Short mmCIF file of all heavy atoms in Angstrom, two decimals:
data_model
loop_
_atom_site.label_atom_id
_atom_site.label_comp_id
_atom_site.label_asym_id
_atom_site.label_seq_id
_atom_site.Cartn_x
_atom_site.Cartn_y
_atom_site.Cartn_z
N THR A 1 -0.45 -5.06 3.82
CA THR A 1 0.40 -4.79 2.65
C THR A 1 -0.18 -5.54 1.46
O THR A 1 -0.98 -6.47 1.62
CB THR A 1 1.86 -5.27 2.89
OG1 THR A 1 1.82 -6.67 3.23
CG2 THR A 1 2.50 -4.49 4.04
N PHE A 2 0.27 -5.15 0.26
CA PHE A 2 -0.22 -5.78 -0.95
C PHE A 2 0.64 -6.99 -1.29
O PHE A 2 1.80 -7.06 -0.87
CB PHE A 2 -0.21 -4.80 -2.11
CG PHE A 2 -1.27 -3.74 -1.99
CD1 PHE A 2 -1.03 -2.59 -1.26
CD2 PHE A 2 -2.50 -3.89 -2.59
CE1 PHE A 2 -1.99 -1.60 -1.14
CE2 PHE A 2 -3.48 -2.91 -2.50
CZ PHE A 2 -3.22 -1.77 -1.75
N LYS A 3 0.06 -7.92 -2.00
CA LYS A 3 0.77 -9.15 -2.35
C LYS A 3 0.55 -9.46 -3.82
O LYS A 3 -0.58 -9.37 -4.32
CB LYS A 3 0.24 -10.32 -1.50
CG LYS A 3 0.96 -11.63 -1.73
CD LYS A 3 0.42 -12.73 -0.84
CE LYS A 3 1.12 -14.05 -1.07
NZ LYS A 3 0.58 -15.11 -0.17
N ALA A 4 1.64 -9.77 -4.51
CA ALA A 4 1.54 -10.08 -5.95
C ALA A 4 0.87 -11.41 -6.17
O ALA A 4 1.17 -12.39 -5.47
CB ALA A 4 2.95 -10.09 -6.55
N ARG A 5 -0.02 -11.47 -7.15
CA ARG A 5 -0.71 -12.71 -7.48
C ARG A 5 -0.12 -13.37 -8.72
O ARG A 5 -0.20 -14.58 -8.87
CB ARG A 5 -2.20 -12.46 -7.69
CG ARG A 5 -2.96 -12.26 -6.40
CD ARG A 5 -4.45 -12.31 -6.67
NE ARG A 5 -5.22 -12.34 -5.42
CZ ARG A 5 -6.54 -12.45 -5.36
NH1 ARG A 5 -7.23 -12.58 -6.49
NH2 ARG A 5 -7.17 -12.49 -4.21
N GLU A 6 0.42 -12.56 -9.59
CA GLU A 6 0.96 -13.10 -10.84
C GLU A 6 2.37 -12.57 -11.04
O GLU A 6 2.76 -11.54 -10.48
CB GLU A 6 0.08 -12.70 -12.04
CG GLU A 6 -1.34 -13.23 -11.96
CD GLU A 6 -2.18 -12.74 -13.15
OE1 GLU A 6 -1.63 -12.02 -14.00
OE2 GLU A 6 -3.35 -13.12 -13.22
N GLU A 7 3.15 -13.27 -11.84
CA GLU A 7 4.50 -12.85 -12.15
C GLU A 7 4.45 -11.51 -12.89
O GLU A 7 3.68 -11.33 -13.82
CB GLU A 7 5.19 -13.92 -13.00
CG GLU A 7 6.67 -13.62 -13.27
CD GLU A 7 7.34 -14.72 -14.07
OE1 GLU A 7 6.66 -15.74 -14.31
OE2 GLU A 7 8.52 -14.56 -14.41
N GLY A 8 5.28 -10.61 -12.46
CA GLY A 8 5.29 -9.27 -13.06
C GLY A 8 4.51 -8.24 -12.26
O GLY A 8 4.52 -7.04 -12.59
N ASP A 9 3.82 -8.68 -11.20
CA ASP A 9 3.06 -7.76 -10.36
C ASP A 9 3.92 -7.09 -9.28
O ASP A 9 3.43 -6.23 -8.56
CB ASP A 9 1.90 -8.48 -9.67
CG ASP A 9 0.79 -8.83 -10.63
OD1 ASP A 9 0.80 -8.28 -11.73
OD2 ASP A 9 -0.08 -9.64 -10.27
N GLU A 10 5.18 -7.49 -9.15
CA GLU A 10 5.98 -7.03 -8.03
C GLU A 10 6.15 -5.51 -8.03
O GLU A 10 6.07 -4.87 -6.97
CB GLU A 10 7.36 -7.70 -8.05
CG GLU A 10 7.37 -9.18 -7.66
CD GLU A 10 6.92 -10.05 -8.81
OE1 GLU A 10 6.71 -9.54 -9.93
OE2 GLU A 10 6.75 -11.29 -8.57
N ASP A 11 6.39 -4.92 -9.21
CA ASP A 11 6.59 -3.47 -9.27
C ASP A 11 5.32 -2.73 -8.85
O ASP A 11 5.35 -1.74 -8.11
CB ASP A 11 6.99 -3.03 -10.69
CG ASP A 11 8.39 -3.48 -11.02
OD1 ASP A 11 9.16 -3.80 -10.09
OD2 ASP A 11 8.72 -3.53 -12.24
N THR A 12 4.16 -3.23 -9.31
CA THR A 12 2.90 -2.61 -8.94
C THR A 12 2.66 -2.71 -7.44
O THR A 12 2.22 -1.76 -6.78
CB THR A 12 1.73 -3.27 -9.69
OG1 THR A 12 1.93 -3.14 -11.09
CG2 THR A 12 0.41 -2.64 -9.32
N VAL A 13 2.97 -3.88 -6.88
CA VAL A 13 2.78 -4.09 -5.45
C VAL A 13 3.68 -3.14 -4.64
O VAL A 13 3.25 -2.53 -3.66
CB VAL A 13 3.10 -5.55 -5.08
CG1 VAL A 13 3.27 -5.72 -3.59
CG2 VAL A 13 1.98 -6.46 -5.57
N ASN A 14 4.93 -3.00 -5.06
CA ASN A 14 5.84 -2.11 -4.35
C ASN A 14 5.35 -0.67 -4.39
O ASN A 14 5.46 0.09 -3.40
CB ASN A 14 7.25 -2.19 -4.95
CG ASN A 14 7.90 -3.53 -4.70
OD1 ASN A 14 7.57 -4.22 -3.72
ND2 ASN A 14 8.82 -3.94 -5.56
N ASN A 15 4.82 -0.25 -5.54
CA ASN A 15 4.29 1.11 -5.66
C ASN A 15 3.07 1.30 -4.75
O ASN A 15 2.95 2.33 -4.08
CB ASN A 15 3.92 1.41 -7.11
CG ASN A 15 5.14 1.56 -7.99
OD1 ASN A 15 6.21 1.91 -7.53
ND2 ASN A 15 4.97 1.28 -9.28
N LEU A 16 2.17 0.31 -4.75
CA LEU A 16 0.99 0.43 -3.93
C LEU A 16 1.35 0.45 -2.43
O LEU A 16 0.74 1.20 -1.65
CB LEU A 16 0.03 -0.72 -4.22
CG LEU A 16 -0.70 -0.66 -5.58
CD1 LEU A 16 -1.50 -1.94 -5.79
CD2 LEU A 16 -1.62 0.56 -5.63
N ASP A 17 2.31 -0.37 -2.04
CA ASP A 17 2.75 -0.39 -0.65
C ASP A 17 3.28 0.98 -0.23
O ASP A 17 3.01 1.49 0.86
CB ASP A 17 3.79 -1.46 -0.42
CG ASP A 17 3.20 -2.84 -0.26
OD1 ASP A 17 2.01 -2.93 0.08
OD2 ASP A 17 3.92 -3.85 -0.48
N ALA A 18 4.04 1.60 -1.13
CA ALA A 18 4.63 2.91 -0.82
C ALA A 18 3.55 3.99 -0.71
O ALA A 18 3.56 4.81 0.21
CB ALA A 18 5.64 3.29 -1.90
N VAL A 19 2.56 3.94 -1.61
CA VAL A 19 1.47 4.94 -1.56
C VAL A 19 0.62 4.74 -0.31
O VAL A 19 0.25 5.68 0.38
CB VAL A 19 0.59 4.83 -2.84
CG1 VAL A 19 -0.61 5.75 -2.71
CG2 VAL A 19 1.42 5.19 -4.05
N TYR A 20 0.31 3.46 0.01
CA TYR A 20 -0.54 3.19 1.17
C TYR A 20 0.19 3.55 2.46
O TYR A 20 -0.43 4.06 3.41
CB TYR A 20 -0.93 1.70 1.19
CG TYR A 20 -1.96 1.39 2.26
CD1 TYR A 20 -3.21 2.00 2.23
CD2 TYR A 20 -1.68 0.48 3.28
CE1 TYR A 20 -4.16 1.70 3.21
CE2 TYR A 20 -2.62 0.19 4.25
CZ TYR A 20 -3.86 0.81 4.19
OH TYR A 20 -4.80 0.53 5.17
N ASP A 21 1.51 3.35 2.51
CA ASP A 21 2.29 3.76 3.67
C ASP A 21 2.25 5.26 3.86
O ASP A 21 2.12 5.77 4.98
CB ASP A 21 3.73 3.28 3.50
CG ASP A 21 4.55 3.49 4.75
OD1 ASP A 21 3.97 3.48 5.86
OD2 ASP A 21 5.79 3.68 4.64
N TYR A 22 2.34 6.00 2.77
CA TYR A 22 2.26 7.45 2.84
C TYR A 22 0.85 7.88 3.27
O TYR A 22 0.70 8.76 4.14
CB TYR A 22 2.60 8.07 1.48
CG TYR A 22 2.38 9.55 1.41
CD1 TYR A 22 3.37 10.43 1.86
CD2 TYR A 22 1.21 10.10 0.89
CE1 TYR A 22 3.18 11.81 1.80
CE2 TYR A 22 1.02 11.46 0.83
CZ TYR A 22 2.01 12.31 1.27
OH TYR A 22 1.83 13.68 1.23
N ASP A 23 -0.19 7.27 2.68
CA ASP A 23 -1.58 7.63 3.00
C ASP A 23 -1.93 7.30 4.42
O ASP A 23 -2.84 7.92 5.01
CB ASP A 23 -2.54 6.93 2.05
CG ASP A 23 -2.56 7.58 0.67
OD1 ASP A 23 -1.77 8.54 0.46
OD2 ASP A 23 -3.34 7.14 -0.19
N HIS A 24 -1.27 6.31 5.00
CA HIS A 24 -1.54 5.92 6.38
C HIS A 24 -1.44 7.11 7.31
O HIS A 24 -2.28 7.29 8.20
CB HIS A 24 -0.58 4.81 6.81
CG HIS A 24 -0.86 4.21 8.16
ND1 HIS A 24 -0.36 4.75 9.34
CD2 HIS A 24 -1.60 3.15 8.51
CE1 HIS A 24 -0.78 4.02 10.34
NE2 HIS A 24 -1.55 3.05 9.87
N ALA A 25 -0.43 7.92 7.11
CA ALA A 25 -0.28 9.13 7.93
C ALA A 25 -1.25 10.23 7.52
O ALA A 25 -1.88 10.87 8.36
CB ALA A 25 1.16 9.63 7.85
N GLU A 26 -1.43 10.43 6.20
CA GLU A 26 -2.31 11.48 5.72
C GLU A 26 -3.75 11.23 6.14
O GLU A 26 -4.52 12.17 6.42
CB GLU A 26 -2.22 11.59 4.21
CG GLU A 26 -0.91 12.13 3.69
CD GLU A 26 -0.70 13.59 4.06
OE1 GLU A 26 -1.71 14.33 4.08
OE2 GLU A 26 0.43 13.98 4.36
N MET A 27 -4.17 9.97 6.14
CA MET A 27 -5.55 9.63 6.52
C MET A 27 -5.75 9.57 8.03
O MET A 27 -6.85 9.34 8.50
CB MET A 27 -5.94 8.26 5.94
CG MET A 27 -6.00 8.21 4.43
SD MET A 27 -6.65 6.61 3.81
CE MET A 27 -5.42 5.44 4.41
N GLN A 28 -4.64 9.75 8.80
CA GLN A 28 -4.68 9.61 10.26
C GLN A 28 -5.27 8.24 10.64
O GLN A 28 -6.15 8.13 11.48
CB GLN A 28 -5.49 10.76 10.88
CG GLN A 28 -4.92 12.13 10.61
CD GLN A 28 -5.73 13.25 11.18
OE1 GLN A 28 -6.86 13.06 11.58
NE2 GLN A 28 -5.16 14.44 11.19
N LYS A 29 -4.73 7.23 9.96
CA LYS A 29 -5.26 5.88 10.11
C LYS A 29 -5.06 5.36 11.53
O LYS A 29 -5.86 4.55 12.02
CB LYS A 29 -4.56 4.94 9.11
CG LYS A 29 -5.05 3.50 9.10
CD LYS A 29 -6.46 3.36 8.57
CE LYS A 29 -6.76 1.93 8.12
NZ LYS A 29 -6.43 0.89 9.11
N ASP A 30 -3.98 5.79 12.23
CA ASP A 30 -3.77 5.31 13.57
C ASP A 30 -4.87 5.80 14.51
O ASP A 30 -5.42 5.02 15.31
CB ASP A 30 -2.38 5.75 14.10
CG ASP A 30 -2.14 7.23 13.91
OD1 ASP A 30 -2.96 7.90 13.24
OD2 ASP A 30 -1.12 7.72 14.42
N GLU A 31 -5.25 7.07 14.41
CA GLU A 31 -6.34 7.59 15.23
C GLU A 31 -7.66 6.94 14.84
O GLU A 31 -8.52 6.65 15.68
CB GLU A 31 -6.43 9.10 15.09
CG GLU A 31 -5.17 9.85 15.55
CD GLU A 31 -5.27 11.34 15.34
OE1 GLU A 31 -6.41 11.87 15.33
OE2 GLU A 31 -4.22 11.99 15.17
N HIS A 32 -7.84 6.77 13.53
CA HIS A 32 -9.05 6.11 13.03
C HIS A 32 -9.20 4.71 13.63
O HIS A 32 -10.26 4.32 14.12
CB HIS A 32 -9.00 6.04 11.52
CG HIS A 32 -10.03 5.20 10.88
ND1 HIS A 32 -9.90 3.81 10.76
CD2 HIS A 32 -11.23 5.48 10.32
CE1 HIS A 32 -10.96 3.32 10.17
NE2 HIS A 32 -11.80 4.30 9.89
#
């Protein structure tokens, strides 16, 4: 998961986590 480094990064981190969670299935990351 992503982690915020500076104050104000929380929204960006939440968005990236959501996209990466979605891509995990699309990329077939478990089989990979």
Side-chain angles (χ1 to χ4, degrees):
T1 58
F2 290 85
K3 183 179 180 180
R5 284 193 171 184
E6 298 178 0
E7 186 177 355
D9 287 345
E10 288 79 6
D11 290 341
T12 301
V13 165
N14 291 335
N15 289 335
L16 288 174
D17 281 338
V19 174
Y20 189 61
D21 187 30
Y22 174 83
D23 284 3
H24 187 272
E26 290 293 324
M27 294 187 298
Q28 299 178 346
K29 183 68 161 50
D30 51 352
E31 299 178 27
H32 169 278

